[in-house]
Amino acid sequence: MNEVISAATRRLDRYPRSAEWFCDFRYYDVSGLGVEDGVHRRDPSSVIEVDGTFHVWYTKSTGVAEGFAAGDDAKVFPWDRSEVWHATSTDGLTWIETDRALGAGEPGSYDDRSVFTPEVLHHEGRFYLVYQVVASPYRLRSKESIAIAWADDPAGPWTRSPHPILRPAEGGEWLGDEDNHLQVVHTGPFDSLKVHDPLLLPFGGRFHLYYKGEQMAEKFAGGGRATRWGVAIADAPEGPYERSPLNPITNSGHETCLWLHADGVAALLTTDGPERNTVQFARDGQNFEIMAHLADPPVAAGPFREERPTVRGLDGLRWGLSHDVTGPWHYIRGFAADERRKDLYAAGSPPELADLSSPPPGAPGAATP
């Protein structure tokens, strides 16, 4: 007699059975980067520790975003007319905004409109910021690129690259002259309009620049926006970078969030795509597999990043900063992975009996075990 099984049962083997990578998340306010009238703070980098001090870089701008219809002189997005700023903390809870790391470039330069969405790498004594740039005027068909700057101290001064290290891919063709990003003859590759949200990791003796791609005439699907990630690889942080032939390497994900884990690379994908809100792992840094589906993961997560690979996958999400964009003024808050619910399930105890009112172990402000 043939066994009769449902489609859901047949596809169950695609998904992880282990709870090793599963957790809940807790969110908490941090001082110094919270809500401030008239100011947007968003897209925090990974948090790094240097000589006992935590450092983070983020997008900062002022004023109301009016949209493209307001004209070329208007601020069109909260991340338009932005700068990259730097803050420090000794405990992860109280942050001091110390200085502007990078402003827009000189008129006529590739970054004269806005610099934003930074990520940091500390490698062999030097600090590298990779970030997104756009030139004036900022329109619907404007292409956005990725640049890099470097310094010998987290406070700078920063030397920026004379040109972007990654530009949108060639191959798309606009239809007509109207400033409409949905009208095309050819869409081109997945990253033909914009390359966003860069993140740089040293892996396998080379430098992997992960990024989000936006396509000309990008459409919405059942998983939300059709954003996907790519990777470009170089022998030195400054480049030159060559795109992987496997691109795109994800079918989902908005802001990039990756860290070195064991002998590979782990990633948190959120917001968009059919595999959004998953944590994934790739032994080769490119062929990612789902490890867990997560509820309410941090958006635009900048986790605390150690320079050595993590031993447990979730060590890369123990705590960090993320942004909240639900109000009129975007702000940065803290997050922490909370594994107590999983541990109680494993022990056979009902999760509702857990004391979930205090910060989870390992998070800033938590009691010492």
Side-chain angles (χ1 to χ4, degrees):
M1 179 176 178
N2 294 330
E3 183 182 9
V4 178
I5 58 175
S6 67
T9 302
R10 283 198 301 271
R11 67 174 178 262
L12 184 61
D13 287 339
R14 301 180 194 174
Y15 305 115
R17 301 291 185 93
S18 169
E20 176 187 356
W21 292 74
F22 178 78
C23 69
D24 290 327
F25 288 94
R26 298 295 156 140
Y27 298 94
Y28 50 90
D29 292 334
V30 297
S31 66
L33 301 175
V35 178
E36 181 180 351
D37 285 345
V39 178
H40 293 289
R41 293 183 181 89
R42 48 176 292 135
D43 296 304
S45 72
S46 296
V47 177
I48 62 171
E49 184 178 6
V50 182
D51 297 328
T53 298
F54 298 116
H55 297 261
V56 69
W57 290 261
Y58 49 93
T59 302
K60 181 181 178 183
S61 73
T62 58
V64 175
E66 301 179 74
F68 290 101
D72 287 347
D73 293 331
K75 178 185 176 74
V76 300
F77 287 124
W79 54 90
D80 184 22
R81 301 194 182 280
S82 289
E83 300 173 328
V84 174
W85 279 69
H86 171 225
T88 62
S89 175
T90 57
D91 61 5
L93 293 172
T94 300
W95 291 87
I96 299 172
E97 192 168 70
T98 58
D99 57 281
R100 183 186 74 173
L102 294 166
E106 295 296 322
S109 62
Y110 68 85
D111 57 353
D112 67 356
R113 177 74 178 217
S114 193
V115 293
F116 50 111
T117 320
E119 185 53 82
V120 65
L121 171 66
H122 184 203
H123 181 74
E124 295 184 348
R126 177 164 281 189
F127 300 86
Y128 298 91
L129 286 177
V130 287
Y131 52 98
Q132 197 168 329
V133 299
V134 65
S136 294
Y138 202 168
R139 295 174 179 164
L140 287 167
R141 288 186 174 183
S142 291
K143 297 201 171 187
E144 298 177 19
S145 301
I146 292 169
I148 190 170
W150 53 88
D152 294 325
D153 187 276
W158 296 91
T159 300
R160 66 181 84 199
S161 56
H163 49 75
I165 58 173
L166 193 72
R167 297 180 187 270
E170 300 293 333
E173 181 183 353
W174 296 117
L175 175 64
D177 296 325
E178 179 187 353
D179 185 33
N180 186 330
H181 66 300
L182 299 179
Q183 294 182 354
V184 296
V185 178
H186 303 292
T187 61
F190 84 103
D191 53 353
S192 59
L193 180 59
K194 300 177 183 180
V195 286
H196 296 238
D197 300 277
L199 188 148
L200 187 59
L201 288 179
F203 178 68
R206 305 185 75 191
F207 293 88
H208 286 54
L209 179 67
Y210 294 92
Y211 64 95
K212 180 184 76 181
E214 186 175 330
Q215 190 174 43
M216 296 164 63
E218 177 193 67
K219 300 293 193 299
F220 276 73
R225 290 182 62 190
T227 56
R228 291 163 284 177
W229 296 357
V231 64
I233 303 171
D235 293 324
E238 301 86 353
Y241 282 90
E242 182 178 349
R243 283 171 165 86
S244 168
L246 291 175
N247 283 354
I249 57 171
T250 71
N251 60 36
S252 303
H254 203 75
E255 298 94 350
T256 57
C257 177
L258 304 100
W259 62 98
L260 299 175
H261 169 67
D263 57 350
V265 175
L268 173 66
L269 284 65
T270 66
T271 309
D272 289 312
E275 294 179 359
R276 66 185 182 274
N277 299 349
T278 62
V279 60
Q280 303 190 11
F281 176 73
R283 198 170 301 280
D284 63 356
Q286 298 187 54
N287 287 286
F288 285 91
E289 299 288 349
I290 295 175
M291 307 307 293
H293 295 259
L294 304 178
D296 191 28
V299 176
F304 173 65
R305 185 198 294 175
E306 299 184 57
E307 294 187 21
R308 62 181 183 272
T310 57
V311 176
R312 300 185 315 149
L314 286 174
D315 285 348
L317 293 172
R318 277 183 302 169
W319 69 276
L321 299 174
S322 62
H323 70 206
D324 189 304
V325 297
T326 57
W329 304 108
H330 301 175
Y331 69 98
I332 293 174
R333 61 178 179 171
F335 76 86
D338 190 341
E339 298 183 70
R340 288 179 291 179
R341 188 179 297 273
K342 179 182 71 177
D343 293 340
L344 284 168
Y345 271 124
S349 301
E352 61 270 19
L353 298 182
D355 176 13
L356 299 176
S357 60
S358 59
T368 303

